[in-house]
Amino acid sequence: MSRVCEITGKRAMSGNNVSHAMNKTKRRFNVNLFTKRFYLPEEDKWVSLKVSAKAIKNINKLGITAVMKEARAKGHLTK
């Protein structure tokens, strides 16, 4: 499984570690991901999603059904 948020589509970025002497080495900025279960009252079932911290905030604000509908429209969610 890749480290990609199923709601927002966020994935790891690449960048540089920069030392005090301005030496640069490649590094990865990973996404803050969690595997979390959500209850869908319309379908009366639980779904397990790999979501980022920002996606959890969006779900708390807008509701799971609205966020999943938007993610399916954007093509991030295939479940």
Side-chain angles (χ1 to χ4, degrees):
M1 290 291 280
S2 59
R3 294 188 56 82
V4 178
C5 176
E6 293 179 325
I7 298 294
T8 60
K10 284 182 172 230
R11 51 182 67 233
M13 295 172 50
S14 63
N16 289 314
N17 276 331
V18 182
S19 70
H20 186 67
M22 297 298 285
N23 297 330
K24 294 172 182 69
T25 56
K26 281 295 186 185
R27 62 161 291 182
R28 284 175 57 124
F29 294 95
N30 285 322
V31 183
N32 191 11
L33 286 181
F34 304 94
T35 303
K36 191 151 172 54
R37 290 175 68 216
F38 296 99
Y39 180 71
L40 298 174
E42 290 79 18
E43 300 175 24
D44 194 35
K45 68 176 184 179
W46 289 87
V47 291
S48 185
L49 297 174
K50 193 183 276 191
V51 293
S52 64
K54 182 174 181 174
I56 292 173
K57 287 181 179 183
N58 283 340
I59 290 168
N60 287 337
K61 183 178 178 182
L62 304 174
I64 183 67
T65 51
V67 172
M68 285 185 69
K69 183 178 178 183
E70 183 180 334
R72 283 192 181 110
K74 289 184 178 178
H76 299 303
L77 188 64
T78 57
K79 291 181 183 179

